[in-house]
PDB file of all heavy atoms in Angstrom:
ATOM      1  N   ALA B 187       0.216 -15.992 -19.992  1.00 95.00           N
ATOM      2  CA  ALA B 187       1.680 -15.874 -20.055  1.00 95.00           C
ATOM      3  C   ALA B 187       2.132 -14.559 -19.413  1.00 95.00           C
ATOM      4  O   ALA B 187       3.120 -14.535 -18.658  1.00 95.00           O
ATOM      5  CB  ALA B 187       2.143 -15.955 -21.502  1.00 95.00           C
ATOM      6  N   CYS B 188       1.406 -13.475 -19.683  1.00 93.00           N
ATOM      7  CA  CYS B 188       1.755 -12.177 -19.073  1.00 93.00           C
ATOM      8  C   CYS B 188       1.579 -12.225 -17.560  1.00 93.00           C
ATOM      9  O   CYS B 188       2.408 -11.677 -16.807  1.00 93.00           O
ATOM     10  CB  CYS B 188       0.897 -11.071 -19.673  1.00 93.00           C
ATOM     11  SG  CYS B 188       1.288 -10.664 -21.384  1.00 93.00           S
ATOM     12  N   MET B 189       0.520 -12.848 -17.098  1.00 94.00           N
ATOM     13  CA  MET B 189       0.296 -12.940 -15.664  1.00 94.00           C
ATOM     14  C   MET B 189       1.419 -13.718 -14.983  1.00 94.00           C
ATOM     15  O   MET B 189       1.896 -13.325 -13.904  1.00 94.00           O
ATOM     16  CB  MET B 189      -1.051 -13.612 -15.391  1.00 94.00           C
ATOM     17  CG  MET B 189      -2.252 -12.794 -15.826  1.00 94.00           C
ATOM     18  SD  MET B 189      -3.828 -13.662 -15.591  1.00 94.00           S
ATOM     19  CE  MET B 189      -3.891 -13.716 -13.799  1.00 94.00           C
ATOM     20  N   VAL B 190       1.844 -14.809 -15.594  1.00 94.00           N
ATOM     21  CA  VAL B 190       2.926 -15.610 -15.018  1.00 94.00           C
ATOM     22  C   VAL B 190       4.207 -14.797 -14.931  1.00 94.00           C
ATOM     23  O   VAL B 190       4.921 -14.815 -13.910  1.00 94.00           O
ATOM     24  CB  VAL B 190       3.142 -16.889 -15.853  1.00 94.00           C
ATOM     25  CG1 VAL B 190       4.421 -17.601 -15.413  1.00 94.00           C
ATOM     26  CG2 VAL B 190       1.947 -17.819 -15.718  1.00 94.00           C
ATOM     27  N   VAL B 191       4.522 -14.048 -15.992  1.00 92.00           N
ATOM     28  CA  VAL B 191       5.742 -13.235 -15.994  1.00 92.00           C
ATOM     29  C   VAL B 191       5.674 -12.175 -14.891  1.00 92.00           C
ATOM     30  O   VAL B 191       6.638 -11.979 -14.130  1.00 92.00           O
ATOM     31  CB  VAL B 191       5.947 -12.575 -17.369  1.00 92.00           C
ATOM     32  CG1 VAL B 191       7.081 -11.550 -17.308  1.00 92.00           C
ATOM     33  CG2 VAL B 191       6.247 -13.632 -18.427  1.00 92.00           C
ATOM     34  N   VAL B 192       4.536 -11.479 -14.797  1.00 89.00           N
ATOM     35  CA  VAL B 192       4.403 -10.413 -13.788  1.00 89.00           C
ATOM     36  C   VAL B 192       4.514 -10.983 -12.379  1.00 89.00           C
ATOM     37  O   VAL B 192       5.166 -10.399 -11.500  1.00 89.00           O
ATOM     38  CB  VAL B 192       3.071  -9.672 -13.977  1.00 89.00           C
ATOM     39  CG1 VAL B 192       2.855  -8.677 -12.835  1.00 89.00           C
ATOM     40  CG2 VAL B 192       3.049  -8.937 -15.305  1.00 89.00           C
ATOM     41  N   LEU B 193       3.891 -12.134 -12.143  1.00 90.00           N
ATOM     42  CA  LEU B 193       3.885 -12.703 -10.800  1.00 90.00           C
ATOM     43  C   LEU B 193       5.228 -13.306 -10.409  1.00 90.00           C
ATOM     44  O   LEU B 193       5.633 -13.240  -9.238  1.00 90.00           O
ATOM     45  CB  LEU B 193       2.793 -13.775 -10.695  1.00 90.00           C
ATOM     46  CG  LEU B 193       1.351 -13.258 -10.742  1.00 90.00           C
ATOM     47  CD1 LEU B 193       0.372 -14.427 -10.853  1.00 90.00           C
ATOM     48  CD2 LEU B 193       1.033 -12.419  -9.516  1.00 90.00           C
ATOM     49  N   LEU B 194       5.942 -13.894 -11.372  1.00 89.00           N
ATOM     50  CA  LEU B 194       7.176 -14.606 -11.048  1.00 89.00           C
ATOM     51  C   LEU B 194       8.437 -13.793 -11.306  1.00 89.00           C
ATOM     52  O   LEU B 194       9.516 -14.219 -10.911  1.00 89.00           O
ATOM     53  CB  LEU B 194       7.251 -15.916 -11.858  1.00 89.00           C
ATOM     54  CG  LEU B 194       6.122 -16.923 -11.608  1.00 89.00           C
ATOM     55  CD1 LEU B 194       6.376 -18.202 -12.405  1.00 89.00           C
ATOM     56  CD2 LEU B 194       5.989 -17.243 -10.127  1.00 89.00           C
ATOM     57  N   TRP B 195       8.317 -12.646 -11.952  1.00 86.00           N
ATOM     58  CA  TRP B 195       9.516 -11.844 -12.240  1.00 86.00           C
ATOM     59  C   TRP B 195      10.143 -11.368 -10.929  1.00 86.00           C
ATOM     60  O   TRP B 195       9.436 -10.960 -10.009  1.00 86.00           O
ATOM     61  CB  TRP B 195       9.144 -10.646 -13.109  1.00 86.00           C
ATOM     62  CG  TRP B 195      10.343  -9.966 -13.708  1.00 86.00           C
ATOM     63  CD1 TRP B 195      10.951  -8.831 -13.260  1.00 86.00           C
ATOM     64  CD2 TRP B 195      11.087 -10.396 -14.852  1.00 86.00           C
ATOM     65  NE1 TRP B 195      12.014  -8.519 -14.054  1.00 86.00           N
ATOM     66  CE2 TRP B 195      12.134  -9.465 -15.044  1.00 86.00           C
ATOM     67  CE3 TRP B 195      10.973 -11.469 -15.736  1.00 86.00           C
ATOM     68  CZ2 TRP B 195      13.052  -9.576 -16.081  1.00 86.00           C
ATOM     69  CZ3 TRP B 195      11.887 -11.576 -16.765  1.00 86.00           C
ATOM     70  CH2 TRP B 195      12.912 -10.638 -16.929  1.00 86.00           C
ATOM     71  N   PRO B 196      11.453 -11.442 -10.803  1.00 82.00           N
ATOM     72  CA  PRO B 196      12.104 -11.043  -9.538  1.00 82.00           C
ATOM     73  C   PRO B 196      11.779  -9.601  -9.163  1.00 82.00           C
ATOM     74  O   PRO B 196      11.722  -8.715 -10.023  1.00 82.00           O
ATOM     75  CB  PRO B 196      13.602 -11.216  -9.845  1.00 82.00           C
ATOM     76  CG  PRO B 196      13.653 -12.168 -10.985  1.00 82.00           C
ATOM     77  CD  PRO B 196      12.425 -11.919 -11.804  1.00 82.00           C
ATOM     78  N   LYS B 197      11.595  -9.378  -7.874  1.00 73.00           N
ATOM     79  CA  LYS B 197      11.288  -8.042  -7.367  1.00 73.00           C
ATOM     80  C   LYS B 197      12.132  -7.763  -6.142  1.00 73.00           C
ATOM     81  O   LYS B 197      12.223  -8.590  -5.236  1.00 73.00           O
ATOM     82  CB  LYS B 197       9.807  -7.933  -6.983  1.00 73.00           C
ATOM     83  CG  LYS B 197       8.848  -8.238  -8.124  1.00 73.00           C
ATOM     84  CD  LYS B 197       7.414  -8.233  -7.616  1.00 73.00           C
ATOM     85  CE  LYS B 197       6.442  -8.603  -8.721  1.00 73.00           C
ATOM     86  NZ  LYS B 197       6.606 -10.006  -9.165  1.00 73.00           N
ATOM     87  N   ASN B 198      12.742  -6.601  -6.115  1.00 63.00           N
ATOM     88  CA  ASN B 198      13.520  -6.180  -4.941  1.00 63.00           C
ATOM     89  C   ASN B 198      12.576  -5.470  -3.977  1.00 63.00           C
ATOM     90  O   ASN B 198      12.478  -4.247  -3.953  1.00 63.00           O
ATOM     91  CB  ASN B 198      14.644  -5.222  -5.352  1.00 63.00           C
ATOM     92  CG  ASN B 198      15.999  -5.891  -5.359  1.00 63.00           C
ATOM     93  OD1 ASN B 198      16.280  -6.738  -4.528  1.00 63.00           O
ATOM     94  ND2 ASN B 198      16.833  -5.526  -6.313  1.00 63.00           N
ATOM     95  N   ILE B 199      11.854  -6.242  -3.168  1.00 57.00           N
ATOM     96  CA  ILE B 199      10.862  -5.634  -2.273  1.00 57.00           C
ATOM     97  C   ILE B 199      11.292  -5.688  -0.809  1.00 57.00           C
ATOM     98  O   ILE B 199      10.635  -5.123   0.043  1.00 57.00           O
ATOM     99  CB  ILE B 199       9.502  -6.330  -2.434  1.00 57.00           C
ATOM    100  CG1 ILE B 199       9.626  -7.811  -2.115  1.00 57.00           C
ATOM    101  CG2 ILE B 199       8.957  -6.128  -3.849  1.00 57.00           C
ATOM    102  CD1 ILE B 199       8.302  -8.546  -2.130  1.00 57.00           C
ATOM    103  N   ASP B 200      12.385  -6.355  -0.510  1.00 56.00           N
ATOM    104  CA  ASP B 200      12.841  -6.489   0.876  1.00 56.00           C
ATOM    105  C   ASP B 200      14.210  -5.824   1.004  1.00 56.00           C
ATOM    106  O   ASP B 200      15.211  -6.322   0.494  1.00 56.00           O
ATOM    107  CB  ASP B 200      12.931  -7.963   1.265  1.00 56.00           C
ATOM    108  CG  ASP B 200      13.111  -8.152   2.772  1.00 56.00           C
ATOM    109  OD1 ASP B 200      13.554  -7.188   3.427  1.00 56.00           O
ATOM    110  OD2 ASP B 200      12.817  -9.246   3.270  1.00 56.00           O
ATOM    111  N   ARG B 201      14.243  -4.680   1.681  1.00 55.00           N
ATOM    112  CA  ARG B 201      15.509  -3.955   1.813  1.00 55.00           C
ATOM    113  C   ARG B 201      16.506  -4.697   2.694  1.00 55.00           C
ATOM    114  O   ARG B 201      17.712  -4.561   2.526  1.00 55.00           O
ATOM    115  CB  ARG B 201      15.241  -2.561   2.390  1.00 55.00           C
ATOM    116  CG  ARG B 201      14.572  -1.607   1.400  1.00 55.00           C
ATOM    117  CD  ARG B 201      14.425  -0.226   2.012  1.00 55.00           C
ATOM    118  NE  ARG B 201      13.977   0.745   1.038  1.00 55.00           N
ATOM    119  CZ  ARG B 201      13.800   2.042   1.305  1.00 55.00           C
ATOM    120  NH1 ARG B 201      14.027   2.480   2.541  1.00 55.00           N
ATOM    121  NH2 ARG B 201      13.405   2.868   0.378  1.00 55.00           N
ATOM    122  N   GLU B 202      15.994  -5.448   3.661  1.00 57.00           N
ATOM    123  CA  GLU B 202      16.906  -6.142   4.576  1.00 57.00           C
ATOM    124  C   GLU B 202      17.546  -7.363   3.919  1.00 57.00           C
ATOM    125  O   GLU B 202      18.630  -7.764   4.288  1.00 57.00           O
ATOM    126  CB  GLU B 202      16.140  -6.560   5.838  1.00 57.00           C
ATOM    127  CG  GLU B 202      15.600  -5.372   6.633  1.00 57.00           C
ATOM    128  CD  GLU B 202      14.870  -5.830   7.880  1.00 57.00           C
ATOM    129  OE1 GLU B 202      14.756  -7.065   8.077  1.00 57.00           O
ATOM    130  OE2 GLU B 202      14.414  -4.965   8.646  1.00 57.00           O
ATOM    131  N   ARG B 203      16.861  -7.954   2.942  1.00 63.00           N
ATOM    132  CA  ARG B 203      17.416  -9.120   2.231  1.00 63.00           C
ATOM    133  C   ARG B 203      17.309  -8.899   0.717  1.00 63.00           C
ATOM    134  O   ARG B 203      16.487  -9.521   0.045  1.00 63.00           O
ATOM    135  CB  ARG B 203      16.679 -10.394   2.649  1.00 63.00           C
ATOM    136  CG  ARG B 203      16.897 -10.782   4.105  1.00 63.00           C
ATOM    137  CD  ARG B 203      16.240 -12.114   4.407  1.00 63.00           C
ATOM    138  NE  ARG B 203      14.795 -12.043   4.189  1.00 63.00           N
ATOM    139  CZ  ARG B 203      13.993 -13.100   4.265  1.00 63.00           C
ATOM    140  NH1 ARG B 203      14.484 -14.300   4.505  1.00 63.00           N
ATOM    141  NH2 ARG B 203      12.692 -12.964   4.075  1.00 63.00           N
ATOM    142  N   PRO B 204      18.101  -7.996   0.172  1.00 64.00           N
ATOM    143  CA  PRO B 204      18.004  -7.708  -1.260  1.00 64.00           C
ATOM    144  C   PRO B 204      18.478  -8.883  -2.107  1.00 64.00           C
ATOM    145  O   PRO B 204      19.244  -9.737  -1.648  1.00 64.00           O
ATOM    146  CB  PRO B 204      18.939  -6.491  -1.426  1.00 64.00           C
ATOM    147  CG  PRO B 204      19.910  -6.604  -0.290  1.00 64.00           C
ATOM    148  CD  PRO B 204      19.134  -7.206   0.842  1.00 64.00           C
ATOM    149  N   LEU B 205      17.984  -8.907  -3.340  1.00 63.00           N
ATOM    150  CA  LEU B 205      18.383  -9.958  -4.266  1.00 63.00           C
ATOM    151  C   LEU B 205      19.848  -9.785  -4.658  1.00 63.00           C
ATOM    152  O   LEU B 205      20.419  -8.703  -4.542  1.00 63.00           O
ATOM    153  CB  LEU B 205      17.498  -9.911  -5.515  1.00 63.00           C
ATOM    154  CG  LEU B 205      15.995 -10.125  -5.293  1.00 63.00           C
ATOM    155  CD1 LEU B 205      15.253  -9.937  -6.601  1.00 63.00           C
ATOM    156  CD2 LEU B 205      15.724 -11.499  -4.714  1.00 63.00           C
ATOM    157  N   SER B 206      20.437 -10.868  -5.127  1.00 65.00           N
ATOM    158  CA  SER B 206      21.841 -10.817  -5.539  1.00 65.00           C
ATOM    159  C   SER B 206      21.986 -11.514  -6.885  1.00 65.00           C
ATOM    160  O   SER B 206      21.106 -12.252  -7.335  1.00 65.00           O
ATOM    161  CB  SER B 206      22.728 -11.510  -4.496  1.00 65.00           C
ATOM    162  OG  SER B 206      22.336 -12.868  -4.323  1.00 65.00           O
ATOM    163  N   GLY B 207      23.118 -11.262  -7.543  1.00 68.00           N
ATOM    164  CA  GLY B 207      23.428 -11.927  -8.798  1.00 68.00           C
ATOM    165  C   GLY B 207      22.516 -11.488  -9.925  1.00 68.00           C
ATOM    166  O   GLY B 207      22.092 -10.331 -10.026  1.00 68.00           O
ATOM    167  N   ALA B 208      22.184 -12.452 -10.797  1.00 75.00           N
ATOM    168  CA  ALA B 208      21.376 -12.158 -11.975  1.00 75.00           C
ATOM    169  C   ALA B 208      19.969 -11.690 -11.595  1.00 75.00           C
ATOM    170  O   ALA B 208      19.391 -10.823 -12.263  1.00 75.00           O
ATOM    171  CB  ALA B 208      21.302 -13.393 -12.864  1.00 75.00           C
ATOM    172  N   ARG B 209      19.408 -12.256 -10.518  1.00 75.00           N
ATOM    173  CA  ARG B 209      18.062 -11.864 -10.102  1.00 75.00           C
ATOM    174  C   ARG B 209      18.017 -10.391  -9.714  1.00 75.00           C
ATOM    175  O   ARG B 209      17.013  -9.718  -9.929  1.00 75.00           O
ATOM    176  CB  ARG B 209      17.607 -12.734  -8.930  1.00 75.00           C
ATOM    177  CG  ARG B 209      17.323 -14.177  -9.325  1.00 75.00           C
ATOM    178  CD  ARG B 209      17.024 -15.037  -8.096  1.00 75.00           C
ATOM    179  NE  ARG B 209      15.879 -14.531  -7.352  1.00 75.00           N
ATOM    180  CZ  ARG B 209      14.618 -14.808  -7.655  1.00 75.00           C
ATOM    181  NH1 ARG B 209      14.335 -15.571  -8.693  1.00 75.00           N
ATOM    182  NH2 ARG B 209      13.624 -14.330  -6.918  1.00 75.00           N
ATOM    183  N   ARG B 210      19.112  -9.911  -9.155  1.00 74.00           N
ATOM    184  CA  ARG B 210      19.153  -8.495  -8.781  1.00 74.00           C
ATOM    185  C   ARG B 210      19.080  -7.604 -10.019  1.00 74.00           C
ATOM    186  O   ARG B 210      18.367  -6.606 -10.048  1.00 74.00           O
ATOM    187  CB  ARG B 210      20.438  -8.222  -7.999  1.00 74.00           C
ATOM    188  CG  ARG B 210      20.620  -6.755  -7.627  1.00 74.00           C
ATOM    189  CD  ARG B 210      22.005  -6.518  -7.085  1.00 74.00           C
ATOM    190  NE  ARG B 210      22.260  -5.104  -6.883  1.00 74.00           N
ATOM    191  CZ  ARG B 210      23.464  -4.565  -6.787  1.00 74.00           C
ATOM    192  NH1 ARG B 210      24.531  -5.332  -6.891  1.00 74.00           N
ATOM    193  NH2 ARG B 210      23.608  -3.281  -6.595  1.00 74.00           N
ATOM    194  N   TRP B 211      19.827  -7.981 -11.081  1.00 76.00           N
ATOM    195  CA  TRP B 211      19.803  -7.161 -12.291  1.00 76.00           C
ATOM    196  C   TRP B 211      18.471  -7.291 -13.017  1.00 76.00           C
ATOM    197  O   TRP B 211      17.969  -6.313 -13.577  1.00 76.00           O
ATOM    198  CB  TRP B 211      20.961  -7.574 -13.213  1.00 76.00           C
ATOM    199  CG  TRP B 211      22.291  -7.228 -12.638  1.00 76.00           C
ATOM    200  CD1 TRP B 211      23.210  -8.064 -12.074  1.00 76.00           C
ATOM    201  CD2 TRP B 211      22.842  -5.910 -12.524  1.00 76.00           C
ATOM    202  NE1 TRP B 211      24.292  -7.380 -11.613  1.00 76.00           N
ATOM    203  CE2 TRP B 211      24.107  -6.040 -11.879  1.00 76.00           C
ATOM    204  CE3 TRP B 211      22.410  -4.641 -12.896  1.00 76.00           C
ATOM    205  CZ2 TRP B 211      24.933  -4.950 -11.616  1.00 76.00           C
ATOM    206  CZ3 TRP B 211      23.232  -3.553 -12.637  1.00 76.00           C
ATOM    207  CH2 TRP B 211      24.473  -3.711 -11.999  1.00 76.00           C
ATOM    208  N   LEU B 212      17.887  -8.485 -13.006  1.00 75.00           N
ATOM    209  CA  LEU B 212      16.585  -8.658 -13.637  1.00 75.00           C
ATOM    210  C   LEU B 212      15.511  -7.831 -12.930  1.00 75.00           C
ATOM    211  O   LEU B 212      14.579  -7.330 -13.559  1.00 75.00           O
ATOM    212  CB  LEU B 212      16.190 -10.136 -13.628  1.00 75.00           C
ATOM    213  CG  LEU B 212      16.962 -11.061 -14.572  1.00 75.00           C
ATOM    214  CD1 LEU B 212      16.546 -12.506 -14.350  1.00 75.00           C
ATOM    215  CD2 LEU B 212      16.748 -10.654 -16.025  1.00 75.00           C
ATOM    216  N   ALA B 213      15.649  -7.687 -11.597  1.00 73.00           N
ATOM    217  CA  ALA B 213      14.652  -6.949 -10.823  1.00 73.00           C
ATOM    218  C   ALA B 213      14.651  -5.465 -11.141  1.00 73.00           C
ATOM    219  O   ALA B 213      13.696  -4.753 -10.806  1.00 73.00           O
ATOM    220  CB  ALA B 213      14.892  -7.164  -9.325  1.00 73.00           C
ATOM    221  N   LEU B 214      15.714  -4.979 -11.803  1.00 71.00           N
ATOM    222  CA  LEU B 214      15.754  -3.568 -12.175  1.00 71.00           C
ATOM    223  C   LEU B 214      14.705  -3.247 -13.236  1.00 71.00           C
ATOM    224  O   LEU B 214      14.279  -2.096 -13.375  1.00 71.00           O
ATOM    225  CB  LEU B 214      17.146  -3.189 -12.679  1.00 71.00           C
ATOM    226  CG  LEU B 214      18.272  -3.278 -11.646  1.00 71.00           C
ATOM    227  CD1 LEU B 214      19.610  -2.951 -12.292  1.00 71.00           C
ATOM    228  CD2 LEU B 214      18.001  -2.328 -10.476  1.00 71.00           C
ATOM    229  N   LEU B 215      14.301  -4.256 -14.017  1.00 75.00           N
ATOM    230  CA  LEU B 215      13.274  -4.067 -15.033  1.00 75.00           C
ATOM    231  C   LEU B 215      11.932  -4.552 -14.485  1.00 75.00           C
ATOM    232  O   LEU B 215      11.845  -5.666 -13.962  1.00 75.00           O
ATOM    233  CB  LEU B 215      13.620  -4.851 -16.303  1.00 75.00           C
ATOM    234  CG  LEU B 215      14.852  -4.364 -17.065  1.00 75.00           C
ATOM    235  CD1 LEU B 215      15.182  -5.332 -18.191  1.00 75.00           C
ATOM    236  CD2 LEU B 215      14.595  -2.967 -17.622  1.00 75.00           C
ATOM    237  N   PRO B 216      10.883  -3.753 -14.572  1.00 78.00           N
ATOM    238  CA  PRO B 216       9.574  -4.171 -14.046  1.00 78.00           C
ATOM    239  C   PRO B 216       9.011  -5.351 -14.832  1.00 78.00           C
ATOM    240  O   PRO B 216       9.119  -5.412 -16.065  1.00 78.00           O
ATOM    241  CB  PRO B 216       8.700  -2.923 -14.232  1.00 78.00           C
ATOM    242  CG  PRO B 216       9.663  -1.798 -14.451  1.00 78.00           C
ATOM    243  CD  PRO B 216      10.869  -2.389 -15.090  1.00 78.00           C
ATOM    244  N   GLY B 217       8.381  -6.268 -14.118  1.00 84.00           N
ATOM    245  CA  GLY B 217       7.789  -7.428 -14.761  1.00 84.00           C
ATOM    246  C   GLY B 217       6.685  -7.050 -15.731  1.00 84.00           C
ATOM    247  O   GLY B 217       6.482  -7.732 -16.753  1.00 84.00           O
ATOM    248  N   THR B 218       5.942  -5.975 -15.438  1.00 85.00           N
ATOM    249  CA  THR B 218       4.863  -5.567 -16.350  1.00 85.00           C
ATOM    250  C   THR B 218       5.408  -5.161 -17.713  1.00 85.00           C
ATOM    251  O   THR B 218       4.813  -5.480 -18.750  1.00 85.00           O
ATOM    252  CB  THR B 218       4.082  -4.395 -15.739  1.00 85.00           C
ATOM    253  OG1 THR B 218       4.997  -3.358 -15.356  1.00 85.00           O
ATOM    254  CG2 THR B 218       3.292  -4.843 -14.524  1.00 85.00           C
TER     255      THR B 218
END
Side-chain angles (χ1 to χ4, degrees):
C188 289
M189 293 176 68
V190 170
V191 171
V192 173
L193 291 171
L194 299 184
W195 193 260
K197 302 175 183 66
N198 256 324
I199 59 175
D200 192 339
R201 288 184 172 182
E202 297 181 358
R203 294 185 299 174
L205 299 175
S206 59
R209 290 174 59 84
R210 177 190 173 200
W211 292 105
L212 289 175
L214 295 177
L215 293 173
T218 52

